[in-house]
């Protein structure tokens, strides 16, 4: 059970969960971007209309925008991450368009919009915290290894080589 708990607390699990939540948000942002795009990158191949470039463009845009919360948190830009989280919430509201719906639909879509954008924000923050913790641990390990190479650390142990003594 301890291994399961350790894994659930791990940087890896948090990142995987973040990717899953981002996937849902990326779908919303892709759809909205594609629905309001101005430039049509589609073309005809014979009589067949090819729209793949439009959708690829929308997906790349959505991934970049949705990764902004994570990037801004990892780089210590809390104001930017707050702004992106609010924009993410607004994107979800636009995606669900609840304003013409009945009250229960308005409440549920607003709640889902808040949960999705809030989860991205929270998991990004949690992931950044784990990354910082792990980098601090790695720095401490690096420093302890370095201290063994200093003169004070070198006096503690004996240093032997396989080179012959040339005296």
């Amino acid at each position: 059970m301890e291994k399961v708990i350790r894994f659930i607390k791990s940087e890896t699990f948090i990142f995987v969960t973040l990717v899953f939540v981002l996937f849902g948000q990326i779908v919303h942002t892709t759809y909205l971007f594609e629905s309001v795009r101005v430039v049509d990158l589609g073309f005809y191949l014979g009589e067949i209309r090819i729209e793949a470039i439009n959708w690829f463009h929308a997906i790349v845009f959505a991934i970049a925008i949705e990764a902004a919360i994570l990037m801004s948190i990892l780089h210590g830009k809390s104001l930017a991450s707050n702004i992106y989280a609010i924009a993410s919430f607004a994107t979800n509201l636009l995606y669900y368009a609840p304003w013409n719906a009945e009250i229960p639909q308005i409440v549920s879509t607003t709640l889902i919009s808040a949960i999705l954008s809030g989860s991205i924000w929270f998991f990004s923050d949690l992931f950044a915290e784990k990354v910082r913790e792990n980098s601090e641990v790695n720095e401490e390990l690096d420093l302890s290894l370095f201290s063994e190479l200093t003169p004070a650390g070198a006096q503690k142990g004996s240093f032997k080589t396989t080179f012959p003594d040339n005296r």
Side-chain angles (χ1 to χ4, degrees):
M1 185 56 110
E2 283 183 36
K3 286 182 181 180
V4 172
I5 292 171
R6 218 173 318 129
F7 176 70
I8 291 171
K9 287 181 166 184
S10 74
E11 185 178 305
T12 302
F13 184 73
I14 294 166
F15 184 73
V16 168
T17 306
L18 174 61
V19 168
F20 286 147
V21 173
L22 278 171
F23 178 76
Q25 185 64 36
I26 287 167
V27 170
H28 295 175
T29 306
T30 299
Y31 174 79
L32 286 175
F33 183 74
E34 175 57 19
S35 69
V36 298
R37 76 173 152 70
V38 177
V39 177
D40 184 6
L41 301 172
F43 60 93
Y44 285 94
L45 188 61
E47 293 184 21
I48 299 173
R49 175 94 174 131
I50 307 294
E51 297 279 338
I53 296 173
N54 286 329
W55 284 102
F56 177 75
H57 182 231
I59 288 169
V60 168
F61 168 80
I63 290 169
I65 293 300
E66 295 309 328
I69 294 173
L70 175 59
M71 287 188 291
S72 57
I73 288 175
L74 281 171
H75 291 282
K77 308 292 183 187
S78 61
L79 177 61
S81 67
N82 294 345
I83 291 169
Y84 276 109
I86 292 167
S88 182
F89 173 69
T91 297
N92 290 332
L93 286 178
L94 290 171
Y95 176 80
Y96 289 116
W99 39 86
N100 293 328
E102 299 292 320
I103 298 292
Q105 184 75 15
I106 292 171
V107 171
S108 64
T109 56
T110 303
L111 182 61
I112 289 169
S113 297
I115 289 171
L116 188 55
S117 58
S119 294
I120 293 168
W121 189 18
F122 173 74
F123 291 143
S124 294
D125 191 48
L126 192 57
F127 178 70
E129 184 180 304
K130 287 290 186 182
V131 167
R132 281 190 292 274
E133 282 175 11
N134 288 342
S135 68
E136 288 170 6
V137 167
N138 288 338
E139 280 180 25
E140 287 174 15
L141 286 174
D142 290 345
L143 290 175
S144 69
L145 290 173
F146 179 73
S147 68
E148 291 176 14
L149 299 175
T150 61
Q155 292 172 0
K156 291 179 187 174
S158 61
F159 183 73
K160 297 179 183 177
T161 67
T162 56
F163 293 113
D165 193 5
N166 290 333
R167 285 190 255 179

